[in-house]
Amino acid sequence: MTTTTRRGGRPASGEPVLDRAFRLLDAFTDAETSMTLTRLSDRAGIPLSSTLRLAQHLSRLGALERRSDGTFTMGLRMLEYAALAPRGHGLRAIALPYMEDLHRASRQHVQLAVREKDEGVIVERLSAPGAGKVLYHVGARVPLHGTGLGLVLLAHSRPEFQESYLQRELFLEPEHIPLAAVDLRTQLHEVRTSGVVHMARALPEPAASVAAPIFDRSGDCAAVISVVGADGSLDTRMLEPAVVAIARAISRDLARGGRDPQAGRSPG
Amino acid sequence: MTTTTRRGGRPASGEPVLDRAFRLLDAFTDAETSMTLTRLSDRAGIPLSSTLRLAQHLSRLGALERRSDGTFTMGLRMLEYAALAPRGHGLRAIALPYMEDLHRASRQHVQLAVREKDEGVIVERLSAPGAGKVLYHVGARVPLHGTGLGLVLLAHSRPEFQESYLQRELFLEPEHIPLAAVDLRTQLHEVRTSGVVHMARALPEPAASVAAPIFDRSGDCAAVISVVGADGSLDTRMLEPAVVAIARAISRDLARGGRDPQAGRSPG
């Protein structure tokens, strides 16, 4: 294979095209779901001409969409891919009916997350209009320390992983307060002992949550579910039985292989 | 830029890498959400060595995940991308609370779809365990003719698009019955006049649905919502007022810019 060099020193062949394509996709954020070509080029740090060529190619593949005003947005093809992620929509299909029950009963935000490497990823959330604002959206990443969702996932991960995580220099954000390994170790022990995590914080604004683990057939922690209230007055102790019960119900359904509501046939 | 040729006659540089990467992603289906390397190579029609290299690269990017048993699945990164698609999760965030209301009231499947080029794409669905099986899952594509969802989207598309669609040779599946342009034109007129579509079919199994359009601020049809029952006994006339009312409520919220339940802050 011949390798030539382009502007920016990247080889013209093979992998870098894929890296650049995903850099374009990564340029989109919650705050900026549509972008002009120039903005996209700036955000991704890719020359305008390459950005145009790549963005057009990604649009042909359905990964991006070009709107009538010329701006680019994420394409619907991504929905198809996301729907096929077993730890995303597969888990979600099983958990959603239970999440709705919890949502109706608590009238608070309900979140479902899984661990991906050293972070948690929100795979579903149901929002309560009156329950205050929330930091995280579907697909968002949360730290494994300092959040209820994260602590549950970390506490139930393999011991070697926990040890390596504890070796890190950790901070609680947004205050940027150092978190000592000994304190985190104590927290993780408590999470495993009590089976739930209650969190309350004042910053960036008052909020409280309660989270519980969801286990798969082999007894591994597959996910975590949490109820979050952001008006500062949520009594998470009151909600603990409901969250624990629903987490157990989802675990049971997951172990059974789920009801698989996505299979079968009918008209549109 | 130097272009060399590989096995299969594809140039080694530039676009084809991206095409092959998306061919790997496209190899996954609802029926096969995880695959061995060999199976992935077969399904995508890409040599084993290239498949390995690409699949590893896509795994590093988070687009794929390699499980402990060595099989590949779609990665959680796709959830993040899907969550940023304005016509996917953006619309969904606004519509979901209303869809839940309709779901609770009807105890049937509720589906939300948008048009992408010459097909409809399901962007959300709520399943009712007792309401029979359904053909479509999130991300699935449905024809614009012969389905309630599709007819609503087609009837409210630009006249030039409708005309070009009517020029095609169309069939009703799975029976493969030819659909005359004059009949489809009549159906589209009725959809625009009545504001809803009622569908009933015997094949592949008895099912009935009622669908209504959702409009955006500029009065364009942005999406369609439908209730589907698959036990053959659903009285769609009874459900019409509920579907129309909910479609209007979502339209109003969409025009307002939505409640945007994905913004803000709180703990996990």
Side-chain angles (χ1 to χ4, degrees):
Chain A
M1 192 195 311
T2 306
T3 300
T4 59
T5 304
R6 292 192 198 176
R7 186 166 27 164
R10 294 179 220 101
S13 66
E15 274 66 7
V17 170
L18 203 50
D19 286 335
R20 286 203 305 280
F22 276 77
R23 200 125 49 84
L24 283 193
L25 298 177
D26 288 337
F28 292 87
T29 64
D30 230 31
E32 226 173 339
T33 59
S34 76
M35 272 182 267
T36 63
L37 187 65
T38 313
R39 177 67 180 154
L40 192 53
S41 162
D42 278 0
R43 289 263 316 159
I46 297 172
L48 203 60
S49 57
S50 305
T51 300
L52 176 61
R53 193 172 47 80
L54 271 174
Q56 284 176 334
H57 196 163
L58 287 167
S59 300
R60 281 197 300 279
L61 292 166
L64 291 181
E65 275 182 31
R66 189 158 204 178
R67 293 179 165 188
S68 50
D69 65 0
T71 59
F72 288 94
T73 70
M74 206 60 81
L76 287 177
R77 179 58 60 101
M78 291 304 184
L79 248 78
E80 291 184 62
Y81 294 145
L84 295 173
R87 295 208 300 150
H89 283 249
L91 171 67
R92 170 189 179 278
I94 292 168
L96 193 57
Y98 297 106
M99 291 179 69
E100 284 171 22
D101 294 338
L102 192 53
H103 183 54
R104 296 266 160 169
S106 69
R107 279 178 291 197
Q108 304 294 332
H109 306 296
V110 177
Q111 305 193 119
L112 181 74
V114 301
R115 181 166 71 87
E116 167 142 275
K117 298 189 182 112
D118 54 359
E119 289 172 308
V121 177
I122 309 284
V123 296
E124 184 55 278
R125 61 184 306 270
L126 298 175
S127 294
K133 293 179 173 181
V134 284
L135 184 56
Y136 306 121
H137 54 88
V138 171
R141 287 166 186 264
V142 302
L144 294 181
H145 63 280
T147 68
L149 291 174
L151 281 173
V152 168
L153 292 171
L154 184 56
H156 293 92
S157 63
R158 280 178 296 106
E160 317 86 77
F161 176 78
Q162 292 186 43
E163 281 311 314
S164 76
Y165 197 90
L166 284 158
Q167 303 302 317
R168 300 180 177 198
E169 200 180 1
L170 299 169
F171 294 92
L172 295 172
E173 307 296 350
E175 305 89 339
H176 202 65
I177 301 166
L179 174 63
V182 59
D183 293 336
L184 180 54
R185 199 184 296 275
T186 306
Q187 284 179 358
L188 295 176
H189 179 73
E190 282 170 8
V191 172
R192 280 189 299 270
T193 310
S194 70
V196 289
V197 176
H198 292 269
M199 292 285 282
R201 65 189 295 172
L203 288 171
E205 41 189 69
S209 69
V210 51
I214 292 167
F215 298 101
D216 64 17
R217 194 191 309 240
S218 54
D220 293 331
C221 177
V224 55
I225 188 167
S226 79
V227 171
V228 185
D231 61 0
S233 68
L234 183 68
D235 183 350
T236 60
R237 295 282 156 199
M238 285 272 296
L239 283 173
E240 181 181 313
V243 174
V244 170
I246 288 292
R248 289 178 62 101
I250 298 173
S251 301
R252 207 167 46 238
D253 222 357
L254 194 61
R256 215 187 285 140
R259 302 185 219 160
D260 192 14
Q262 303 213 340
R265 13 198 73 244
S266 96
Chain B
M1 195 196 307
T2 306
T3 300
T4 59
T5 304
R6 294 193 197 175
R7 187 166 26 166
R10 295 179 220 101
S13 65
E15 274 67 6
V17 170
L18 204 50
D19 287 334
R20 284 203 305 279
F22 276 78
R23 201 125 49 86
L24 283 193
L25 299 177
D26 288 337
F28 293 87
T29 65
D30 231 31
E32 226 173 340
T33 59
S34 75
M35 271 181 270
T36 63
L37 186 66
T38 314
R39 176 68 181 154
L40 191 53
S41 163
D42 278 358
R43 288 262 316 158
I46 296 171
L48 203 61
S49 57
S50 305
T51 301
L52 176 61
R53 194 173 48 79
L54 271 174
Q56 284 176 334
H57 196 162
L58 286 168
S59 299
R60 282 198 299 281
L61 292 166
L64 291 181
E65 274 182 32
R66 190 158 203 178
R67 294 180 165 187
S68 49
D69 65 0
T71 59
F72 289 93
T73 69
M74 205 61 80
L76 287 176
R77 179 57 60 101
M78 291 304 183
L79 248 78
E80 290 185 62
Y81 293 145
L84 295 172
R87 295 207 301 151
H89 283 250
L91 170 67
R92 171 189 179 277
I94 292 167
L96 192 57
Y98 297 106
M99 291 178 69
E100 284 171 21
D101 294 338
L102 192 53
H103 183 54
R104 296 265 161 172
S106 69
R107 280 178 290 196
Q108 304 294 331
H109 305 296
V110 177
Q111 304 192 120
L112 181 74
V114 300
R115 182 167 70 87
E116 169 144 272
K117 298 189 182 108
D118 55 358
E119 290 172 307
V121 177
I122 309 284
V123 296
E124 184 55 279
R125 60 185 305 269
L126 297 175
S127 294
K133 293 179 172 181
V134 284
L135 184 56
Y136 307 121
H137 53 88
V138 171
R141 285 163 188 265
V142 301
L144 295 181
H145 63 281
T147 69
L149 292 172
L151 281 173
V152 168
L153 292 170
L154 184 57
H156 293 91
S157 64
R158 281 178 297 106
E160 317 87 77
F161 175 77
Q162 292 185 43
E163 282 310 314
S164 76
Y165 198 89
L166 284 158
Q167 303 303 316
R168 300 179 177 198
E169 200 180 359
L170 300 169
F171 294 92
L172 295 172
E173 306 298 348
E175 305 90 337
H176 203 65
I177 301 166
L179 174 62
V182 59
D183 294 336
L184 180 54
R185 199 184 295 275
T186 306
Q187 283 180 357
L188 295 175
H189 179 73
E190 281 169 8
V191 172
R192 281 188 301 270
T193 310
S194 70
V196 290
V197 176
H198 292 268
M199 291 287 280
R201 64 189 295 173
L203 288 172
E205 41 190 70
S209 70
V210 50
I214 293 167
F215 298 101
D216 65 17
R217 194 190 309 240
S218 55
D220 292 330
C221 176
V224 55
I225 189 167
S226 80
V227 171
V228 185
D231 59 0
S233 69
L234 183 68
D235 183 350
T236 60
R237 295 283 156 198
M238 285 274 294
L239 283 173
E240 180 180 315
V243 174
V244 170
I246 288 292
R248 289 177 62 100
I250 298 173
S251 301
R252 207 167 46 238
D253 221 357
L254 194 61
R256 216 188 281 141
R259 303 186 218 160
D260 193 14
Q262 304 213 338
R265 16 199 72 243
S266 95

